[in-house]
Amino acid sequence: MGRYVLRRLLQMAFVLLGATFLVFAMVYALPGDPLAGKCGERPCSAEYVRAETERLHLDDPLPVQYGHYLKGLAQGDFGTTASGDDVLDEIKRTYPVTLRLGTIAIIFVAIVGVGAGIIAGVRRNGLFDRVSLAGTLFVISLPIFVIGTTMQYFLGIKMGLFPVTATNGSWGQLIMPGMAVGSLSLAYATRITRTSVAENLRADFVRTARAKGMPEHRVVGIHTMRNSMIPIITFLGTEFGSLLGGAIVTEGIFNIPGVGGLVFRAIALREGALVVGVATFLILIFLVVSLIIDLMYAVLDPRIRYE
Amino acid sequence: MRALKRGHKVVALAAAGMLLATGCGGDDDNNAGSDAQGNLTGPITEGGTVSVHGCKPERPLLPADTAEVCGGDVLDNVTAKLVRYHPETGDLENDLAESIETKDSKTFTVKLLKGVKFHDGTEVDADSFIDAWNFAAYAKNAQQNASFFSQIQGFEDVNPEDPDGDGPKDPPDPKTDKLSGLKKVNDTTFTITLTRRNSTFPIRLGYTAFSPLPESFFKDKGKSFGKKPIGAGPFKLTSFNPDREIVLEKDPNYDRARKPHIDKVIYRIYTSEDAAYADVQANQLDITNIIPTSKQLDRLYARDLGGRFATRAEGVFQSITFPPTKTDPSYSNPKLRQAISMAIDREQVIKLAFPEREPATGWVSPVVNGYKAGACGEYCTYNPERAKQLFEEAGGYNGTMTLAYNGGGNHEVWTEAVCNSIRSVLGVECIAKGSVDFASFRSAIEAKEQKGMFRTGWQMDYPSIENFLEPIYKTNASSNDGNYSNKEFDKLLNDAAAAASEEEGYALYQQAEALLAEDMPAIPLWYGAAIHGHSNKVTNVKVTVFGTYDFSSVTVIK
């Protein structure tokens, strides 16, 4: 296990390096002057251009620029934005909010989605199964923009049940956006769980357990569930990973001060340092999350061993 | 998000997809908070907190380095300047200045009010201005608004011109870091000397860049100031979280005119105008001065908000600019330009894209003194027959016309409509061409590489007829995107600036504007108007001629 983790960590370093270089190259090799449009209708003053060129090493060839960036990164310096803010500070400020949003969404998915999936799987072809099948099909077909603005309009503006936007990013404000962003995963989670449970209920060990006279709740709750969890955990894990990358559309609709909005604004304003910094951070997060998922397989299924 | 440049807000707003969010009107009929004369009609209460739609400042909050609305709006309420603009009319009023006098329109003597203090308790004196302006103009400080000081004597010594524009050679080092045109007489008096006569000079002194700065600013060259600006304005900044909110509180020591009734202002940071709008709709945000484009179609906002909105004319001008002849000679014939202008059915396009705007009849916004309607004459009226006739006299056009705009800024609809209008009248192919984003759009224009027509917009820096002509159409002016040059026009502007009286000056500016109709360097499209919505918790809500919030009038309903 230790060797496996070490190997994965080493791989991660290379993936991180390659991925950040790609992002860096894409941001700074974009056609057009990165300083253009910074000063509105009139061209920027020569001194401003000079100061910014120096700050961003724009005169150097791309690999040298990247070298400067890596050097900073190794020292924990993610760079600074045009407004003089530290990129790492910006991430620290916005990240807790995205983490909260992702957590609410994934809890929502885990409870409602997986719960519905188990019921549907156990009572396959029953009324609940059919209704949830139709329901999930409907939800999957809706874009998040529609779900988000509809919830915002009816639950927020018309009924006043939730705050309309989440400008503070507190737990309470994030409940509705969390449900909105989770609703798509919810549909998938229900379907995956249903299939997985239904399949395992026909497995030999379940039949054996039943034959031994084990009560039904133990048969489903322990024997079936543990074995059904692997695809579900994989799904929830990757979903959580991508939620941590920021839900740009949802954060936009509900004005959530999270990482998604940060990235969106950074791209629109051509804040290269911010785009690359946040991307680097997100790649890192994703790599860690996927490592954790892989390690969890071994916990769930004793037959899986990592060497 | 707004990549909005103050003073050039329009283009930038557009970049953020907000430009078309300002519809037009000019009538005050819908103003729930005030009657037709602009008097307050709601009950006046003291105290309370008002939350408003804000956006994330792009740069540190330094007055001379903030050229976009997000930071500029905040700074304008924190800082005080020598003069301010009447929120309703845009007229000039003294603020920190007791008087600004001149005999020759070249040297101005400024007397300051005595005993005015910055929020940190230090006194506002002549040095607060002289040091601040020297800092702003000095090239090495690379302040974005440095060019605002270019009329003051000695500017080229502190901010030498780059010999080859933006080119490979660096500009020479400045000879000095002090503007020779600024002289201290005593603690409360100083003089400003200009390089040449300009009677309209004091009008610009209310712009943010001319704010005085306290001594503490210079200790670290504004580093800590950028996060917590200190001014002498009605509000002081008490908390600044650039992702969530900026909080201003009334300065208890502020006792000059336009004292606010409210105690606290919270700029809530929004990334989308739709979210802010939804909050206003639900009475969870008090005021937004931007109505989303989607809500302007069929005046949806009127239904959504009931009586909780108002519109007013603001100092914004929209146009289509022709490329410099060097870049693209195919549009160089003025008759062709006039033909294109007359082929555009402005009323129709406005009706389609933003029902409340007012077609432009000239190059100057109606909100400023000196405005004269109809400067463009028949050339800005839709007239297919005459357009066709002019088009033929000009020798037609070979190939396809293009109209460039920045993508992602809600310009698709109206540029398409304008092209349709041109196509159907002149029988020439016209394509609206979107670029990826605002930055690439502007960089092509600034590099003078943009072929074909392109959209332009102007938001005034200060309410003056001069601000709509000189920076955009004077030879080599900073925002002269079409490289327009007309000696007679330049001379008229210079004469107007040096005129003995305001009226005389206005007449000369109007003569200059009339020349634009003959040359047609840019086609006037329409004038801007601000629409704002508010919650049921506030009353007497108004916006200024700049489209910004007027915190001196708004009150909280108790």
Side-chain angles (χ1 to χ4, degrees):
Chain A
M1 185 85 144
R3 278 181 59 144
Y4 175 77
V5 173
L6 207 70
R7 206 166 63 223
R8 283 288 297 264
L9 287 175
L10 214 68
Q11 277 174 5
M12 272 165 64
F14 283 104
V15 174
L16 191 67
L17 213 64
T20 50
F21 181 73
L22 280 181
V23 175
F24 192 89
M26 280 191 276
V27 168
Y28 286 101
L30 267 182
D33 179 0
L35 298 178
K38 284 266 175 218
C39 306
E41 277 285 75
R42 54 189 100 192
C44 293
S45 76
E47 276 304 327
Y48 173 79
V49 171
R50 196 156 65 163
E52 285 294 281
T53 306
E54 205 177 294
R55 185 176 71 83
L56 298 168
H57 306 288
L58 293 177
D59 278 348
D60 295 330
L62 193 68
V64 180
Q65 287 183 37
Y66 182 63
H68 280 292
Y69 181 72
L70 274 189
K71 209 173 111 198
L73 208 58
Q75 295 158 348
D77 176 11
F78 276 66
T80 49
T81 66
S83 55
D85 288 322
D86 194 78
V87 172
L88 196 59
D89 280 351
E90 298 244 3
I91 295 173
K92 280 184 194 156
R93 240 182 2 234
T94 50
Y95 213 73
V97 179
T98 300
L99 199 65
R100 255 172 264 167
L101 179 68
T103 309
I104 290 176
I106 220 72
I107 290 176
F108 178 64
V109 173
I111 294 176
V112 181
V114 175
I118 294 173
I119 300 175
V122 172
R123 303 192 192 146
R124 205 148 40 98
N125 297 328
L127 180 66
F128 184 87
D129 187 21
R130 285 169 205 282
V131 171
S132 73
L133 209 66
T136 51
L137 193 69
F138 176 68
V139 174
I140 288 173
S141 65
L142 288 179
I144 181 67
F145 182 75
V146 174
I147 298 176
T149 44
T150 308
M151 284 175 83
Q152 186 181 47
Y153 185 72
F154 285 105
L155 301 182
I157 296 175
K158 283 284 139 186
M159 301 165 76
L161 293 176
F162 296 99
V164 178
T165 59
T167 312
N168 281 327
S170 60
W171 285 101
Q173 286 188 332
L174 289 171
I175 292 176
M176 182 167 64
M179 290 188 331
V181 81
S183 58
L184 286 184
S185 322
L186 183 100
Y188 287 108
T190 305
R191 299 200 130 194
I192 291 170
T193 313
R194 173 189 178 271
T195 315
S196 187
V197 168
E199 209 148 279
N200 274 307
L201 277 174
R202 280 187 308 213
D204 290 346
F205 61 86
V206 172
R207 206 166 353 135
T208 311
R210 280 198 180 123
K212 284 195 323 192
M214 191 175 274
E216 187 65 15
H217 68 91
R218 271 188 74 83
V219 171
V220 175
I222 309 290
H223 291 256
T224 313
M225 276 324 292
R226 182 158 171 174
N227 282 284
S228 309
M229 278 319 274
I230 290 187
I232 300 168
I233 288 287
T234 314
F235 175 75
L236 289 182
T238 39
E239 280 301 294
F240 190 54
S242 59
L243 282 176
L244 291 183
I248 292 188
V249 176
T250 313
E251 291 195 359
I253 296 169
F254 296 102
N255 198 47
I256 301 167
V259 142
L262 191 69
V263 175
F264 180 77
R265 216 159 32 204
I267 294 173
L269 292 181
R270 290 211 173 185
E271 274 285 6
L274 200 54
V275 176
V276 181
V278 176
T280 307
F281 184 76
L282 293 182
I283 293 164
L284 201 65
I285 294 273
F286 206 87
L287 288 174
V288 172
V289 170
S290 56
L291 176 62
I292 294 174
I293 297 170
D294 283 356
L295 294 179
M296 271 171 81
Y297 292 160
V299 178
L300 283 171
D301 189 344
R303 286 169 297 185
I304 298 175
R305 285 275 172 274
Y306 291 119
E307 291 308 331
Chain B
M1 168 244 94
R2 284 157 109 179
L4 333 176
K5 314 302 167 181
R6 195 105 163 297
H8 329 290
K9 180 157 86 175
V10 169
V11 198
L13 275 172
M18 292 179 186
L19 165 56
L20 302 187
T22 40
C24 197
D27 59 311
D28 255 359
D29 300 346
N30 301 319
N31 198 328
S34 55
D35 63 19
Q37 281 78 44
N39 298 317
L40 302 186
T41 52
I44 298 200
T45 52
E46 296 295 323
T49 301
V50 170
S51 57
V52 301
H53 176 187
C55 50
K56 188 178 180 177
E58 258 180 63
R59 309 266 306 152
L61 293 174
L62 311 186
D65 205 24
T66 294
E68 41 90 38
V69 285
C70 300
D73 285 0
V74 174
L75 272 176
D76 262 344
N77 287 292
V78 171
T79 60
K81 278 74 64 179
L82 289 173
V83 295
R84 71 175 153 241
Y85 312 109
H86 188 288
E88 197 74 25
T89 61
D91 285 344
L92 209 60
E93 297 173 349
N94 280 337
D95 188 6
L96 291 175
E98 193 180 84
S99 66
I100 302 174
E101 279 164 4
T102 180
K103 289 197 182 81
D104 54 2
S105 299
K106 200 170 172 211
T107 299
F108 295 82
T109 306
V110 179
K111 282 209 176 74
L112 297 174
L113 287 179
K114 290 187 182 78
V116 178
K117 290 197 166 71
F118 285 110
H119 300 144
D120 65 358
T122 56
E123 196 121 339
V124 180
D125 57 17
D127 285 326
S128 321
F129 284 94
I130 296 174
D131 293 345
W133 297 5
N134 280 334
F135 179 88
Y138 185 51
K140 295 272 174 195
N141 293 329
Q143 300 286 293
Q144 289 203 355
N145 291 328
S147 64
F148 276 86
F149 300 85
S150 59
Q151 303 201 2
I152 299 174
Q153 214 168 59
F155 181 76
E156 59 284 358
D157 291 334
V158 297
N159 206 324
E161 216 171 302
D162 195 339
D164 43 6
D166 228 3
K169 264 187 270 167
D170 283 334
D173 273 346
K175 285 180 212 150
T176 162
D177 56 359
K178 302 254 183 306
L179 284 162
S180 60
L182 298 178
K183 288 230 165 55
K184 181 178 172 178
V185 178
N186 58 43
D187 275 353
T188 54
T189 313
F190 69 101
T191 60
I192 310 165
T193 309
L194 307 181
T195 39
R196 53 187 165 73
R197 286 154 59 99
N198 186 350
S199 56
T200 66
F201 181 75
I203 299 179
R204 71 193 61 215
L205 294 176
Y207 185 66
T208 330
F210 291 95
S211 305
L213 295 171
E215 251 179 82
S216 59
F217 176 93
F218 303 96
K219 279 188 199 132
D220 60 358
K221 287 196 160 188
K223 237 184 144 67
S224 46
F225 188 97
K227 297 255 180 288
K228 200 175 181 188
I230 294 161
F235 291 94
K236 53 183 176 186
L237 189 145
T238 52
S239 125
F240 180 23
N241 180 336
D243 294 301
R244 296 184 193 176
E245 57 183 32
I246 301 174
V247 181
L248 307 186
E249 276 170 44
K250 183 156 93 173
D251 176 19
N253 299 320
Y254 185 88
D255 62 352
R256 299 195 301 281
R258 312 222 171 281
K259 201 168 155 179
H261 300 292
I262 49 173
D263 283 342
K264 200 166 162 186
V265 171
I266 299 176
Y267 281 89
R268 260 199 246 149
I269 310 296
Y270 285 90
T271 44
S272 88
E273 64 261 44
D274 292 280
Y277 180 82
D279 264 349
V280 169
Q281 220 181 326
N283 292 309
Q284 290 178 5
L285 176 76
D286 290 330
I287 321 173
T288 177
N289 59 355
I290 297 167
I291 303 291
T293 320
S294 57
K295 300 293 179 187
Q296 292 197 36
L297 289 176
D298 293 332
R299 299 177 83 236
L300 259 179
Y301 61 87
R303 258 178 281 164
D304 281 350
L305 298 173
R308 298 189 278 119
F309 74 95
T311 62
R312 70 155 301 160
E314 63 173 346
V316 167
F317 169 70
Q318 300 283 325
S319 53
I320 294 173
T321 298
F322 291 102
T325 308
K326 256 195 190 161
T327 314
D328 183 354
S330 55
Y331 295 91
S332 54
N333 189 338
K335 272 193 182 155
L336 172 69
R337 304 174 183 206
Q338 289 158 346
I340 297 173
S341 174
M342 294 185 83
I344 299 172
D345 190 347
R346 292 170 182 74
E347 300 273 3
Q348 198 60 40
V349 179
I350 288 173
K351 222 161 121 191
L352 176 79
F354 11 69
E356 307 224 13
R357 287 195 189 189
E358 197 187 319
T361 62
W363 290 261
V364 175
S365 161
V367 304
V368 300
N369 286 331
Y371 160 77
K372 193 176 151 196
C376 182
E378 61 158 348
Y379 298 126
C380 286
T381 1
Y382 177 61
N383 185 341
E385 283 86 55
R386 182 92 179 96
K388 230 176 151 47
Q389 192 190 340
L390 275 171
F391 186 65
E392 269 148 31
E393 282 174 32
Y397 186 88
N398 271 335
T400 303
M401 287 185 183
T402 54
L403 172 56
Y405 64 91
N406 48 304
N410 293 325
H411 296 295
E412 290 82 355
V413 174
W414 76 259
T415 45
E416 282 291 345
V418 163
C419 256
N420 279 337
S421 194
I422 294 172
R423 195 182 303 127
S424 65
V425 172
L426 301 181
V428 63
E429 193 51 47
C430 176
I431 297 174
K433 243 173 54 182
S435 57
V436 193
D437 57 7
F438 183 64
S440 42
F441 176 68
R442 282 306 303 176
S443 69
I445 293 172
E446 280 168 21
K448 311 288 180 204
E449 281 164 2
Q450 181 66 58
K451 286 191 175 26
M453 303 179 279
F454 48 89
R455 63 156 287 270
T456 35
W458 184 257
Q459 153 99 26
M460 64 181 182
D461 300 312
Y462 39 87
S464 158
I465 179 171
E466 177 259 0
N467 193 236
F468 282 92
L469 300 175
E470 183 147 339
I472 321 176
Y473 305 112
K474 199 176 184 181
T475 306
N476 292 330
S478 56
S479 299
N480 191 338
D481 291 330
N483 271 6
Y484 176 66
S485 176
N486 179 339
K487 283 206 180 78
E488 204 184 334
F489 178 83
D490 294 351
K491 188 179 174 301
L492 281 166
L493 287 192
N494 289 343
D495 291 350
S501 73
E502 272 180 12
E503 277 61 40
E504 207 178 296
Y506 293 151
L508 289 164
Y509 280 121
Q510 287 163 1
Q511 279 180 38
E513 191 188 359
L515 291 179
L516 294 179
E518 287 166 30
D519 296 335
M520 196 61 76
I523 300 175
L525 292 176
W526 34 77
Y527 303 122
I531 310 178
H532 68 271
H534 60 88
S535 74
N536 58 11
K537 295 172 186 137
V538 290
T539 183
N540 298 321
V541 180
K542 293 202 257 174
V543 291
T544 67
V545 277
F546 296 96
T548 58
Y549 308 109
D550 173 14
F551 294 131
S552 65
S553 66
V554 60
T555 55
V556 174
I557 296 174
K558 292 225 166 133

